[in-house]
Amino acid sequence: MLLPIAQRSGAPVLLINLQPTEAMDHATFDTGQWLAYLRRLPAARDGQHVPACRHPVPFGGRGYVEDERAWTRIGRWVRAAGVRGALRHGRHGLMGHLYPGMLDVSTDLTLVRSTSVGTSRCWSSTTCACGSIAVSDADVDTRIALATGVFEIDPTVVDEDFRWAARVSVGLDRLVADFELDSLAYYHRGLDGEQHERLGAGMILGASLLTARVFRQRGSTSCGRRSRC
């Protein structure tokens, strides 16, 4: 019964292998209770047969129903399935050009599409640069206030660079919203401080704020710690 469901659903399958309590009361158990605990045996067998048919089924929870450690492991597998879903159905952006000298991080868009099933968008840095230039001073001031509340700003940060990073951050937010992106990778290597080089350097603040926003939306406890910028 399990194998056809796993093969036809097209969804990740997690096998939860929990017994009712930590230990069976051998002095008072009856046939029904014995069968409840015995269910763990075929669950382990299912975990062997289904992968043999080329459908991986991880054991997400071993233990008993009230076992917090088991539910912690189950929660991790569920979050992993959510990541898989975001990759398979997400919109992924690439901006700039490849990082020279690091061939291991080059991106094959055809391979990305064939494995993650998501869609990809590619731009030159000009796309974000144009959006950043159109940002108003009021938006820059608002973004600086936001960044100051999220990060601990080092005294060595130059005010002009901070305002430029805030401007780029607003432009980056607009780019993500316009194209409904779920992920974005970027890099640009320029010379002599030209606009696109400054844009690449200024992206760090905006990317950090976007990441912090995702953590807050998901209720992560780690976003409460102040980071240094």
Side-chain angles (χ1 to χ4, degrees):
M1 291 185 292
L2 175 63
L3 181 58
I5 295 174
Q7 289 178 321
R8 299 174 188 176
S9 65
V13 175
L14 178 65
L15 191 60
I16 299 177
N17 190 18
L18 303 178
Q19 64 186 35
T21 63
E22 187 173 6
M24 185 171 61
D25 187 351
H26 293 274
T28 61
F29 78 92
D30 56 21
T31 301
Q33 294 175 351
W34 177 74
L35 290 173
Y37 287 87
L38 185 66
R39 182 65 189 93
R40 294 194 67 187
L41 296 179
R45 185 177 64 242
D46 293 340
Q48 296 176 347
H49 292 335
V50 178
C53 297
R54 299 183 180 181
H55 195 101
V57 177
F59 275 100
R62 293 185 177 90
Y64 56 98
V65 174
E66 300 297 333
D67 187 354
E68 293 185 3
R69 294 173 300 176
W71 287 107
T72 297
R73 290 191 294 269
I74 292 170
R76 290 171 181 168
W77 278 109
V78 171
R79 289 192 295 273
V83 172
R84 178 181 183 269
L87 292 174
R88 288 177 62 86
H89 304 289
R91 298 166 66 92
H92 314 298
L94 293 171
M95 185 169 63
H97 58 75
L98 298 179
Y99 189 23
M102 295 187 67
L103 301 180
D104 57 314
V105 297
S106 61
T107 301
D108 182 344
L109 295 182
T110 302
L111 183 61
V112 170
R113 186 62 185 270
S114 65
T115 55
S116 70
V117 194
T119 58
S120 300
R121 298 290 185 270
C122 298
W123 311 275
S124 70
S125 300
T126 305
T127 305
C128 189
C130 292
S132 300
I133 293 172
V135 173
S136 68
D137 290 338
D139 288 335
V140 172
D141 293 336
T142 301
R143 184 53 52 98
I144 288 177
L146 172 63
T148 303
V150 174
F151 302 108
E152 179 182 346
I153 308 302
D154 193 278
T156 61
V157 173
V158 179
D159 182 67
E160 180 183 357
D161 294 337
F162 194 13
R163 292 191 65 83
W164 170 250
R167 183 177 298 277
V168 174
S169 175
V170 177
L172 179 62
D173 278 12
R174 293 176 179 176
L175 177 72
V176 170
D178 288 344
F179 292 93
E180 299 180 342
L181 296 180
D182 295 287
S183 67
L184 174 66
Y186 68 91
Y187 179 79
H188 183 89
R189 181 177 183 178
L191 295 172
D192 299 326
E194 52 90 23
Q195 176 177 284
H196 296 91
E197 182 182 29
R198 291 189 66 216
L199 179 73
M203 290 275 287
I204 298 173
L205 176 63
S208 298
L209 287 174
L210 282 171
T211 303
R213 182 191 308 168
V214 172
F215 275 108
R216 287 196 297 270
Q217 291 173 346
R218 295 180 179 178
S220 172
T221 57
S222 63
C223 65
R225 294 179 293 179
R226 294 171 64 85
S227 303
R228 297 186 65 85
C229 176

